[in-house]
Amino acid sequence: MFKQFLSKLPRKSSKSDSGELNRSSSGPVSSPVQRSGTSAGSGPVRSNSGKRMSSAVFPASVVAGIEPLVPFKDVPSSEKLNLFVSKVSLCCVTFDFSDPGKNSIEKDVKRQTLLELLDFVASGSVKFTEPAILAMCRMCAVNLFRVFPPNYRSSSGGENDDDEPMFDPAWPHLQIVYDLLLKFITSPCLDAKLAKKYLDHAFIVRLLDLFDSEDPRERECLKTILHRVYGKFMVHRPFVRKSMSNIFYRFVFETEKHSGIAELLEIFGSIVSGFALPLKEEHKIFLWRVLIPLHKPKSVGNYFQQLSYCITQFIDKEPKLGSVVIKGLLKFWPITNSQKEVMFLGEVEEIVEAMSVMEFQKIMVPLFLRIACCVTSSHFQVSERALFLWNNDQIVNLIGHNRQAILPIMFTALEKNAQNHWNQSVLNLTLNVRKMFCEMDETLFMSCHARFKEDEAKLCSAAEKRKEVWARLENAASMKPITGKTAVLVTPRATSIAC
């Protein structure tokens, strides 16, 4: 490998140089079509015009006798694109970065070549031809597309805050490749109609697979690149959305393990903000079948902010979807996870705040039945967050217009809290909400209070009757003689220990 790169020092190239690099690559390579239409090496000419990225072969490292290590400034403008292809092909050689001391000179040559390519693409001096686009896509595929090892650190899909992010040792080279790909896609010299044959569906799927990287720096680069691909290649937009949906489906209903859900949702949030009105049915289906079920996984805290933003964007586009989202949240409401309940309550407040009275009336009964359960939660953060809803003036206004239905639901929960809750902060908030309801409609409040007293009296009466029945059963059992294996009713008096 060392001799291979030393042989690339600036000098007149030979066929043996081309063959040496070809032999060092991971697979068979072939020269791209030259401007004159002839192949640089021996063998039949391969036309790239009708080939997709997935079926194309690697371009050769030396094109038309141009040395890949020659600087761009040392060749005429007519040869710069050939030199570009030659340099890109040189970068198709990959290295093992787990050992920093291995192939250090070759790695440095490749890094310098990538930086040269980055400057050349950023300059925007030459319009990219089809062989150049092909070579660029293949180089990115060789360097970026890889299979990640399984994550053995956590079996919960990354929900542990103590897990530190993993950093790829190859990142110094990968970062330049990502920057180069971004500059290439956004370059005005790149014709989208010509490039879509190589930046095709297969390329996009492999790009999306990289979002499972544990390196947050890589996911951030991918987020920017995918967003630019979505913006430039309009023909691929439906496929990008469908492929992202498939990742979400697999995450929610199969694995619950993926490192890039937050970044993908961030991209989708910007996509939703660009949807035209009225919303298409497919977009509403995505909301119901993908975004709302994403509240289900245990690791929702890792991407909750981005998920909430996407849903808010949908509701801003079409406010009638607010009631649909609330129904979905109630369907996936956490019962045993207090932290998720707090997050859900925060999202509910944000959605209800933007609702109209008519939409609010569609979901107010099931919603406040759930809120009443949260108010009486023994976990003080859940109870406190539920009571904080009454600090929102818009929600209080909606409650006031519908107090005839809401106060009877909430009254029992408020009374139980006022009598029994252990947390002083929750107790104070409960008393404030009771006072607010009383000032809102004193007649209704007193009516609910009288009904609550009646229900309490009925419950006490039923409890007394049950106690009497059990006392009679105990007496009857104590009078019956014990024979054989007859079960014995042990009374509380018999099991008590005198102190």
Side-chain angles (χ1 to χ4, degrees):
M1 186 67 72
F2 177 72
K3 292 180 179 179
Q4 170 193 334
F5 276 86
L6 287 184
S7 68
K8 299 305 176 187
L9 291 175
R11 58 183 176 81
K12 185 176 179 179
S13 62
S14 63
K15 292 183 180 179
S16 61
D17 290 333
S18 177
E20 184 176 352
L21 186 61
N22 286 345
R23 288 193 299 273
S24 69
S25 62
S26 58
V29 294
S30 174
S31 301
V33 178
Q34 302 177 53
R35 291 181 304 150
S36 61
T38 59
S39 174
S42 61
V45 177
R46 294 182 182 266
S47 173
N48 295 327
S49 58
K51 290 184 178 292
R52 296 297 180 109
M53 188 277 293
S54 56
S55 61
V57 293
F58 285 103
S61 58
V62 180
V63 178
I66 295 179
E67 223 11 284
L69 298 185
V70 174
F72 280 104
K73 61 183 178 62
D74 292 347
V75 297
S77 298
S78 59
E79 297 296 330
K80 284 186 177 181
L81 210 53
N82 282 339
L83 180 58
F84 173 81
V85 174
S86 190
K87 286 181 179 291
V88 166
S89 304
L90 182 67
C91 295
C92 286
V93 181
T94 57
F95 300 100
D96 178 15
F97 286 88
S98 60
D99 183 3
K102 187 177 179 181
N103 304 122
S104 57
I105 296 178
E106 293 92 330
K107 291 175 184 176
D108 189 59
V109 171
K110 179 180 176 182
R111 184 175 182 277
Q112 293 302 323
T113 306
L114 286 170
L115 290 173
E116 281 188 74
L117 290 169
L118 183 60
D119 292 337
F120 177 77
V121 172
S123 67
S125 56
V126 182
K127 190 173 181 65
F128 295 111
T129 59
E130 195 164 346
I133 297 171
L134 167 64
M136 185 67 189
C137 290
R138 294 302 294 169
M139 187 275 289
C140 291
V142 169
N143 284 276
L144 300 179
F145 298 160
R146 59 209 190 277
V147 177
F148 298 112
N151 179 13
Y152 295 106
R153 296 183 306 156
S154 173
S155 60
S156 55
E159 68 182 61
N160 246 341
D161 294 336
D162 296 335
D163 287 346
E164 294 183 1
M166 298 286 288
F167 296 109
D168 197 320
W171 180 247
H173 274 63
L174 290 176
Q175 184 179 21
I176 305 173
V177 177
Y178 276 121
D179 291 342
L180 182 56
L181 179 59
L182 178 61
K183 291 290 184 183
F184 183 73
I185 290 171
T186 58
S187 173
C189 298
L190 179 66
D191 184 1
K193 292 182 179 178
L194 190 62
K196 70 181 181 182
K197 293 195 299 181
Y198 304 104
L199 287 162
D200 59 1
H201 290 180
F203 190 94
I204 291 171
V205 168
R206 297 296 302 276
L207 202 65
L208 285 167
D209 288 342
L210 294 175
F211 275 91
D212 203 16
S213 170
E214 294 183 38
D215 194 327
R217 302 168 300 182
E218 183 168 13
R219 298 198 302 269
E220 194 66 24
C221 287
L222 285 164
K223 181 180 69 177
T224 306
I225 289 171
L226 186 63
H227 193 270
R228 296 296 182 267
V229 168
Y230 189 88
K232 187 158 189 170
F233 299 93
M234 295 184 65
V235 67
H236 292 329
R237 288 183 180 181
F239 181 79
V240 171
R241 294 196 300 268
K242 180 181 178 181
S243 300
M244 291 171 68
S245 299
N246 290 337
I247 293 174
F248 293 138
Y249 284 137
R250 196 178 307 116
F251 172 72
V252 172
F253 300 109
E254 294 181 14
T255 64
E256 289 197 8
K257 295 179 182 179
H258 198 283
S259 301
I261 298 297
E263 287 79 10
L264 290 170
L265 285 171
E266 196 167 336
I267 296 169
F268 210 90
S270 62
I271 292 174
V272 173
S273 64
F275 283 163
L277 294 176
L279 289 176
K280 295 180 181 179
E281 191 63 26
E282 65 171 289
H283 301 327
K284 297 178 183 179
I285 291 174
F286 179 85
L287 171 67
W288 180 253
R289 294 184 179 175
V290 178
L291 292 184
I292 293 177
L294 275 170
H295 290 83
K296 179 183 175 184
K298 292 184 290 185
S299 58
V300 65
N302 293 338
Y303 55 83
F304 185 78
Q305 183 179 355
Q306 292 83 358
L307 176 60
S308 183
Y309 176 76
C310 286
I311 288 177
T312 303
Q313 289 295 306
F314 267 102
I315 297 173
D316 288 344
K317 291 283 182 181
E318 194 165 319
K320 290 182 179 180
L321 292 173
S323 57
V324 175
V325 174
I326 293 294
K327 290 176 183 177
L329 290 177
L330 294 175
K331 178 182 178 182
F332 294 105
W333 198 274
I335 304 299
T336 59
N337 191 326
S338 301
Q339 294 305 315
K340 280 182 69 174
E341 276 196 280
V342 172
M343 289 189 288
F344 274 47
L345 287 166
E347 188 171 8
V348 163
E349 179 177 2
E350 191 173 357
I351 295 169
V352 173
E353 186 179 9
M355 273 187 172
S356 65
V357 175
M358 290 183 63
E359 286 299 310
F360 178 74
Q361 289 173 346
K362 293 179 183 178
I363 49 87
M364 62 181 181
V365 172
L367 175 61
F368 277 88
L369 284 171
R370 173 53 59 189
I371 291 175
C373 293
C374 293
V375 165
T376 57
S377 172
S378 57
H379 195 291
F380 80 97
Q381 288 180 336
V382 175
S383 183
E384 193 174 55
R385 188 63 187 85
L387 291 166
F388 277 154
L389 294 174
W390 276 264
N391 289 343
N392 190 307
D393 293 337
Q394 179 63 23
I395 294 178
V396 170
N397 187 40
L398 290 171
I399 292 173
H401 281 93
N402 300 277
R403 58 187 180 275
Q404 297 289 340
I406 294 174
L407 181 54
I409 296 173
M410 293 300 306
F411 192 88
T412 301
L414 294 172
E415 285 296 315
K416 287 182 178 179
N417 260 21
Q419 294 173 9
N420 303 318
H421 205 283
W422 63 272
N423 186 271
Q424 188 61 42
S425 176
V426 171
L427 182 60
N428 294 336
L429 287 170
T430 301
L431 295 175
N432 289 339
V433 173
R434 285 179 76 255
K435 182 180 179 182
M436 192 179 297
F437 271 120
C438 184
E439 293 173 352
M440 197 180 290
D441 191 333
E442 187 175 356
T443 304
L444 178 61
F445 184 87
M446 296 308 297
S447 174
C448 290
H449 189 270
R451 192 178 301 115
F452 174 76
K453 288 295 185 182
E454 290 177 6
D455 293 340
E456 284 287 299
K458 290 178 181 178
L459 289 174
C460 289
S461 176
E464 287 294 328
K465 288 180 180 178
R466 283 197 302 272
K467 190 175 180 181
E468 291 175 5
V469 169
W470 277 109
R472 288 198 299 270
L473 286 172
E474 288 176 4
N475 289 331
S478 63
M479 297 297 182
K480 187 175 181 180
I482 300 174
T483 58
K485 296 182 180 180
T486 305
V488 179
L489 179 64
V490 180
T491 62
R493 191 177 305 163
T495 58
S496 61
I497 300 175
C499 297

